[in-house]
Amino acid sequence: MKKSFVLSAIALTSILASCSTQKTTQNSTEVETKVNEFKPQYYSEYTLKTDLSHLSENEKNIIRLMIKSADIMDDIFWQQAYGAKIDITDATKGEVLDYVKINYGPWDRLDNEKPFVDGFGPKPAGAMFYPVDMTKEEFEAANLPEGKSNYTLVKRNRDGKLYTVPYHVNYKNQLQNAAGYLAKASELAEDPGLKKYLQLRAAALLNDDFYASDLAWMDMKNSNLDLVIGPIETYEDQLFGYKASYSSYVLVKDVEWSKKLARFVQYLPELQQNLPVNAKYKAEKPGTDSDLNAYDVIYYAGDCNAGGKTIAINLPNDEQVQLEKGTRRLQLKNAMQAKFDQILVPISNVMIDESQQKNIKFDAFFSNVMFHEVAHGLGIKNTINGKGSVREALKETQSGLEEGKADILGLYMVNQLLKKGELEGSQEDYFVTFLAGIFRSVRFGASSAHGQANMVCFNYFAEKGAFEKLPNGRYKVNVAKMEQAMNGLSELILTLQGNGDYEGVKTLMVTKGKIGSDLQKDLDKINASNVPVDIKFKQGLDILGL
């Protein structure tokens, strides 16, 4: 039986003390931890703020309430990812404590979840959503009615049997407080769409039924403010990919940029129809009530704040809502600009041939990221052979393959819109910036869904000659071959999804979802150049002047 990784402060202290000097104070026990290799220099600091002068006093007060509710999502995510936050934050200090807070636990999210605090072994694949000693076989045999729900925890009773507890029951007190803040915010909201959404989202936090609030969020078109809140993504559950983690973003709309993006939605049905795959794998019709908007993000909390930071959002994840209304794609422009300036450009200076460095452009980076999110709405949501939804058929492999689909179909969409004259720039701009983006993303390692997706793309492209590595150690894109490889990988991924081919996806991830030794040397060269891997935020009411 595996030992639980959620340790009490006393247990953690005793473990760490065996490798360190123990200091006792009147109120607590501080531990000087012997630290495995960890890299706080991975993160470049960025201040999250934007111009709020155009907002009303009511809107500023709504932001205050949104941030309070977001902080509660942050606390719940700590419990899901690690356990009792106080156990480890009380037992570590200094740079180690700072790094624990970035990673929401003692496992390095940008280094394949390696533990960096002594006394901890590998991170449980199921995080704290399941008993850490539970096997996949035990879970399947238990046949729990709500076991595969996104919104239940699986626990073990005194007799050793598995049972489920709904999120809204397990986190009742915290969720009631968060819902209360949202209800107060709804009373202040002047925009009817925002008011309705906040009311319904408050109710949804208390019963785990997010359908009505998702529809209301889809209908919210004109608000200056936005809030993404609740259990959203399932990446933290690396055992099955079933369980959703609590997250929150507080957002202020960039009206001018949003107007530029709005026109692209009309092309979704045409782009779906033209996908480079057999017709049966693209028979579903994407919703056309989708919209594209640009925002400045002013607060991250929970899952989205852990390790690598999200710079674009495509929600809701509910397939029923997607088929009925599509999705909303929110581009987090200030965070995106930070990653471009502080990470992508320096990487390009190291890895991209000098002849193509002129093709690294923010507009290309913005579009590649944006259409990655749009591409989640293309393709197929249900298998063509009776295996149910793609998500259900592919189990824990779904997240990685879905991110791979979004990567490659996003590039396909950019290419199609370029040919229609709807985007400015050249194929070379978008393709070279895409390759540089892979180097940026795979530095997270290949343990995450995004990391696996990027490695599949990189290795597939390498096999097809989409780029070459020159004698000087830099990479150069072959535009024609990259376009061919893009179409080939699109067809492969869409076919695997449509067939619900679980074993086929596993094989793809094993053969192409890994970082090879040659690429690792390149990543080491980037790291030696002191290019940060990601960003961390200075954020909060004080930063915003609120």
Side-chain angles (χ1 to χ4, degrees):
M1 182 176 289
K2 293 182 182 178
K3 194 172 184 179
S4 172
F5 291 93
V6 184
L7 304 177
S8 68
I10 296 174
L12 178 59
T13 298
S14 64
I15 291 172
L16 295 176
S18 66
C19 303
S20 60
T21 303
Q22 185 171 307
K23 294 181 180 180
T24 303
T25 66
Q26 184 175 0
N27 297 319
S28 64
T29 301
E30 295 182 354
V31 179
E32 291 182 1
T33 60
K34 176 186 174 185
V35 182
N36 299 323
E37 183 182 10
F38 80 107
K39 308 171 183 68
Q41 71 272 21
Y42 268 178
Y43 293 87
S44 175
E45 190 167 80
Y46 180 75
T47 301
L48 279 183
K49 59 183 180 180
T50 192
D51 180 16
L52 303 179
S53 62
H54 63 292
L55 300 182
S56 68
E57 276 307 307
N58 270 2
E59 287 174 320
K60 291 176 182 178
N61 284 326
I62 289 171
I63 288 175
R64 294 183 177 99
L65 292 165
M66 286 178 171
I67 288 177
K68 286 183 177 181
S69 63
D71 283 337
I72 295 173
M73 301 301 106
D74 200 74
D75 289 338
I76 296 176
F77 179 67
W78 263 103
Q79 296 172 53
Q80 294 180 316
Y82 167 74
K85 173 182 176 181
I86 194 172
D87 288 357
I88 194 166
T89 55
D90 276 3
T92 53
K93 62 181 182 179
E95 283 191 324
V96 184
L97 175 58
D98 291 341
Y99 210 56
V100 163
K101 289 180 178 178
I102 288 171
N103 287 281
Y104 287 72
W107 301 285
D108 194 334
R109 292 174 180 271
L110 300 192
D111 193 11
N112 296 309
E113 303 284 9
K114 292 179 182 176
F116 59 88
V117 177
D118 282 333
F120 289 88
K123 182 177 180 178
M128 295 299 121
F129 300 113
Y130 312 89
V132 294
D133 62 343
M134 186 197 78
T135 64
K136 285 187 175 183
E137 294 75 16
E138 182 186 13
F139 176 84
E140 297 289 0
N143 196 26
L144 300 170
E146 296 297 321
K148 296 180 180 180
S149 167
N150 293 153
Y151 312 123
T152 63
L153 297 174
V154 177
K155 298 190 176 186
R156 192 183 299 283
N157 65 20
R158 293 182 179 181
D159 297 327
K161 294 182 179 179
L162 301 178
Y163 69 102
T164 60
V165 180
Y167 281 5
H168 71 274
V169 174
N170 196 78
Y171 308 118
K172 180 180 178 179
N173 292 337
Q174 290 164 292
L175 292 174
Q176 284 180 335
N177 289 335
Y181 292 132
L182 297 190
K184 289 179 182 178
S186 73
E187 294 171 4
L188 297 174
E190 297 162 0
D191 177 78
L194 178 62
K195 180 182 288 288
K196 181 179 180 181
Y197 167 65
L198 291 173
Q199 289 171 342
L200 292 175
R201 203 64 174 182
L205 289 176
L206 300 179
N207 63 15
D208 297 328
D209 183 356
F210 296 93
Y211 177 73
S213 63
D214 281 346
L215 291 178
W217 188 70
M218 287 295 302
D219 291 336
M220 192 176 70
K221 305 291 187 183
N222 302 313
S223 174
N224 288 323
L225 305 180
D226 209 332
L227 175 70
V228 175
I229 189 167
I232 309 290
E233 303 290 0
T234 61
Y235 304 126
E236 192 73 9
D237 177 5
Q238 295 187 26
L239 190 64
F240 289 109
Y242 295 147
K243 305 304 177 185
S245 301
Y246 282 86
S247 241
S248 187
Y249 307 80
V250 181
L251 308 160
V252 177
K253 181 181 282 188
D254 186 317
V255 177
E256 291 306 312
W257 270 74
S258 295
K259 287 178 181 177
K260 295 178 185 178
L261 305 182
R263 73 181 191 275
F264 294 124
V265 175
Q266 63 184 303
Y267 295 113
L268 290 181
E270 178 185 342
L271 291 166
Q272 171 84 353
Q273 187 177 18
N274 292 338
L275 287 172
V277 69
N278 186 285
K280 61 186 177 182
Y281 297 103
K282 54 184 178 182
E284 295 176 1
K285 294 183 179 180
T288 55
D289 199 27
S290 306
D291 63 344
L292 297 173
N293 286 288
Y295 289 82
D296 280 338
V297 56
I298 56 174
Y299 206 72
Y300 283 72
D303 185 27
C304 63
N305 194 43
K309 305 302 186 291
T310 301
I311 54 178
I313 301 169
N314 174 54
L315 292 170
N317 284 331
D318 187 327
E319 285 92 347
Q320 184 179 352
V321 177
Q322 290 180 10
L323 290 172
E324 288 181 29
K325 292 212 169 204
T327 60
R328 288 180 62 200
R329 286 87 175 197
L330 283 57
Q331 315 308 308
L332 311 184
K333 187 166 66 70
N334 55 344
M336 203 180 294
Q337 186 76 59
K339 289 202 182 189
F340 180 80
D341 292 340
Q342 299 183 31
I343 302 171
L344 191 73
V345 171
I347 286 175
S348 302
N349 292 336
V350 176
M351 297 308 304
I352 300 299
D353 186 63
E354 291 182 2
S355 67
Q356 291 186 329
Q357 286 184 14
K358 65 181 182 297
N359 299 111
I360 303 296
K361 297 181 178 178
F362 177 71
D363 283 354
F365 179 60
F366 184 94
S367 294
N368 286 341
V369 173
M370 175 176 68
F371 286 108
H372 167 105
E373 299 304 331
V374 177
H376 280 297
L378 297 187
I380 198 163
K381 304 297 179 188
N382 297 292
T383 60
I384 65 171
N385 51 12
K387 292 185 179 180
S389 71
V390 172
R391 181 181 293 272
E392 185 176 20
L394 297 186
K395 302 178 184 178
E396 81 280 0
T397 68
Q398 157 63 5
S399 292
L401 193 68
E402 176 63 21
E403 292 305 322
K405 182 200 84 172
D407 281 341
I408 201 65
L409 292 192
L411 190 61
Y412 152 81
M413 296 175 78
V414 162
N415 198 48
Q416 293 289 305
L417 291 169
L418 269 173
K419 292 179 177 181
K420 291 174 68 68
E422 290 295 331
L423 288 175
E424 296 180 356
S426 67
Q427 274 187 312
E428 199 167 8
D429 293 341
Y430 291 91
F431 285 8
V432 174
T433 303
F434 183 87
L435 177 60
I438 291 180
F439 289 120
R440 180 186 69 86
S441 296
V442 298
R443 294 175 73 203
F444 300 154
S447 67
S448 70
H450 291 84
Q452 280 189 324
N454 276 276
M455 281 317 306
V456 167
C457 186
F458 181 89
N459 289 323
Y460 187 94
F461 276 18
E463 286 182 5
K464 302 298 181 182
F467 54 78
E468 59 177 326
K469 188 175 181 180
L470 302 175
N472 63 9
R474 294 171 181 256
Y475 288 76
K476 187 174 183 179
V477 166
N478 183 313
V479 172
K481 290 185 177 180
M482 182 173 278
E483 185 172 9
Q484 293 172 1
M486 172 190 72
N487 290 332
L489 184 56
S490 297
E491 181 180 22
L492 173 61
I493 290 177
L494 290 169
T495 302
L496 288 169
Q497 286 190 323
N499 291 341
D501 188 354
Y502 176 71
E503 293 300 327
V505 179
K506 286 179 67 176
T507 299
L508 179 67
M509 294 302 178
V510 168
T511 57
K512 290 189 172 62
K514 307 293 184 184
I515 297 175
S517 58
D518 191 48
L519 177 58
Q520 186 59 58
K521 291 177 183 177
D522 292 330
L523 299 180
D524 292 341
K525 183 165 66 173
I526 295 172
N527 292 336
S529 301
N530 294 319
V531 179
V533 179
D534 214 275
I535 49 179
K536 62 180 179 180
F537 297 125
K538 287 181 65 177
Q539 60 178 7
L541 295 175
D542 289 343
I543 297 294
L544 296 170
L546 297 177

